[in-house]
C-alpha cells in the first residue's frame, strides 16, 4: 500500500523511520510532503522516500494518508485535501483533535483512524493508541495495525481515554529522558565520566521496563525486591518520596492530559 505523510516533522519522521527500519514498508511506497524544498531534499536524502510539495498530489498517489502537521493547521490542511479522500484511509496523530472534529471538516463518510504514537517509534519501540471511526472495518483495522506495529506496539482504546494515553505515553518519553539525564548528572557528581553515566542510566531504565513487561509482576513488587532492609536502595526510595517524586509524575501527567483536553 502507498502511504503519504502530510508533514514530516519529529513525529512524522519518527514514524517514517520506524516503518523503513522494520522492512515492512519500502521507502518507494512512502511519499512525504513539507512546506519547503530544502526540507524535502533533506527528507529524501535521509529517508530515501518520495517527496512532494503538493499535499493534494501526495494524497492522490496514496492509499493511506497520515496527517502529521501541527494541530493548529489541521483544519486548513483537511479543507485542502478532503475532496481527495474517497476510498482512502486517513490517520491522524494530533492531540486534542477528536474523531467528531475531524469528521466535521472532512466529512462523516471518511475512513478515519485516530492515533497517538510516541517518538520511540524511531527505534522500533513505540506505543501507539488506536481509535477507529465507524467506517473502518475489521479487515482494514488489521492492516493498519500491522503497518503501525512496524515501529512498536499498538493498543486499541476508547476515544475518551486518549488524553490519559497522551499523558502517560505520548509525552512521557520527555519525562523519561529527564529522569535519565538526572540519573547521569548524579553519576557524574559521584565520579562517573559523563558518557558512561548516560549509558549506564539508560540501560538501567531499559532493563527495568523490560522486567515489568516480561514478568507481568506489579511494579511495586519489583521495587520491593530491590529494597533490602537497611540497604542502599530503600535510602534512595525514601529520598524520592521525601522530595515528592511520585506526586510530581502524577501532576505532570494530569497537566499533560488537561492540556490535551483543552486543545
Amino acid at each position: 500500500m502507498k502511504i503519504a505523510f502530510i508533514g514530516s516533522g519529529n513525529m512524522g519522521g519518527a514514524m517514517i523511520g520506524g516503518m523503513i527500519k522494520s522492512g515492512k514498508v519500502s521507502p518507494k511506497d512512502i511519499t512525504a510532503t513539507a512546506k519547503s524544498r530544502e526540507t524535502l531534499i533533506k527528507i529524501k536524502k535521509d529517508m530515501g522516500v518520495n517527496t512532494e510539495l503538493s499535499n493534494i498530489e501526495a494524497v492522490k498517489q496514496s492509499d493511506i494518508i497520515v496527517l502529521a502537521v501541527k494541530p493548529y493547521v489541521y483544519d486548513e490542511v483537511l479543507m485542502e485535501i478532503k475532496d481527495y479522500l474517497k476510498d482512502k484511509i486517513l490517520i491522524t496523530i494530533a492531540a486534542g483533535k477528536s474523531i467528531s472534529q475531524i469528521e466535521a471538516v472532512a466529512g462523516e463518510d471518511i475512513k478515519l483512524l485516530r492515533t497517538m504514537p510516541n517518538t520511540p517509534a524511531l527505534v522500533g519501540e513505540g506505543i501507539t493508541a488506536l481509535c477507529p471511526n465507524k467506517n473502518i472495518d475489521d479487515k482494514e483495522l488489521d492492516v493498519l495495525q500491522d503497518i503501525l506495529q512496524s515501529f512498536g506496539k499498538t493498543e486499541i482504546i476508547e476515544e475518551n481515554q486518549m488524553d490519559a494515553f497522551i499523558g502517560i505515553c505520548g509525552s512521557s518519553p520527555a519525562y523519561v529522558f529527564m529522569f535519565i539525564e538526572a540519573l547521569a548528572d548524579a553519576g557524574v557528581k559521584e565520579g562517573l565520566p559523563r558518557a558512561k553515566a548516560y549509558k549506564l542510566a539508560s540501560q538501567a531504565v531499559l532493563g527495568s521496563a523490560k522486567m515489568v513487561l516480561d514478568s507481568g509482576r506489579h511494579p511495586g513488587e519489583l521495587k520491593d525486591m530491590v529494597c533490602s532492609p537497611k540497604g542502599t536502595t530503600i535510602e534512595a526510595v525514601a529520598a524520592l518520596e521525601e522530595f515528592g517524586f511520585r506526586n510530581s509524575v502524577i501532576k505532570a501527567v494530569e497537566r499533560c492530559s488537561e492540556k490535551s483536553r483543552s486543545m
Side-chain angles (χ1 to χ4, degrees), residues 238-251:
L240 288 172
E241 294 289 12
E242 179 183 353
F243 294 108
F245 177 73
R246 282 194 286 191
N247 187 57
S248 294
V249 173
I250 291 168
K251 290 297 183 185

Side-chain angles (χ1 to χ4, degrees), residues 6-7 26 30 35 57 67 71 77 92 101 105 120 138-139 153 159 172 175 194 196 208 213 218 233-234 243 257:
I6 308 302
S26 170
I30 297 175
K35 287 185 176 181
E57 288 304 313
L67 194 53
V77 176
T92 65
Q101 288 174 318
V105 179
D138 290 343
K139 184 176 179 181
K153 304 291 192 299
E159 190 173 22
S172 64
Y175 325 155
R194 171 69 60 181
K196 185 160 293 199
S208 301
L213 292 171
H218 191 285
T233 307
I234 194 63
F243 294 108
S257 300

Side-chain angles (χ1 to χ4, degrees), residues 46-154:
D46 293 347
M47 307 276 195
V49 300
N50 307 303
T51 57
E52 270 285 354
L53 271 173
S54 168
N55 292 333
I56 291 174
E57 288 304 313
V59 171
K60 285 181 177 179
Q61 299 167 21
S62 304
D63 306 297
I64 297 170
I65 295 87
V66 181
L67 194 53
V69 296
K70 297 298 184 186
Y72 68 87
V73 296
Y74 250 58
D75 289 359
E76 176 186 339
V77 176
L78 282 171
M79 288 296 294
E80 178 188 6
I81 66 173
K82 69 175 186 175
D83 293 336
Y84 305 91
L85 294 176
K86 183 176 173 57
D87 300 323
K88 301 179 187 293
I89 296 173
L90 178 67
I91 297 177
T92 65
I93 65 171
K97 287 293 182 181
S98 68
I99 287 173
S100 62
Q101 288 174 318
I102 300 296
E103 290 177 341
V105 179
E108 294 185 4
D109 58 339
I110 64 167
K111 294 179 180 290
L112 172 62
L113 181 68
R114 184 183 178 190
T115 76
M116 179 50 60
N118 64 359
T119 53
L122 191 56
V123 294
E125 292 294 346
I127 178 68
T128 304
L130 310 179
C131 188
N133 78 345
K134 61 184 183 299
N135 302 320
I136 298 281
D137 62 36
D138 290 343
K139 184 176 179 181
E140 289 167 333
L141 185 56
D142 287 343
V143 170
L144 294 170
Q145 278 195 277
D146 185 58
I147 292 171
L148 295 172
Q149 285 170 358
S150 66
F151 49 78
K153 304 291 192 299
T154 60

Side-chain angles (χ1 to χ4, degrees), residues 12-44:
M15 294 173 72
I16 293 171
M19 288 180 182
I20 293 171
K21 281 185 178 181
S22 74
K24 283 190 176 183
V25 183
S26 170
K28 67 181 179 61
D29 291 327
I30 297 175
T31 299
T33 73
K35 287 185 176 181
S36 71
R37 291 189 184 276
E38 291 76 15
T39 301
L40 292 179
I41 290 169
K42 185 176 188 308
I43 292 168
K44 191 172 186 65

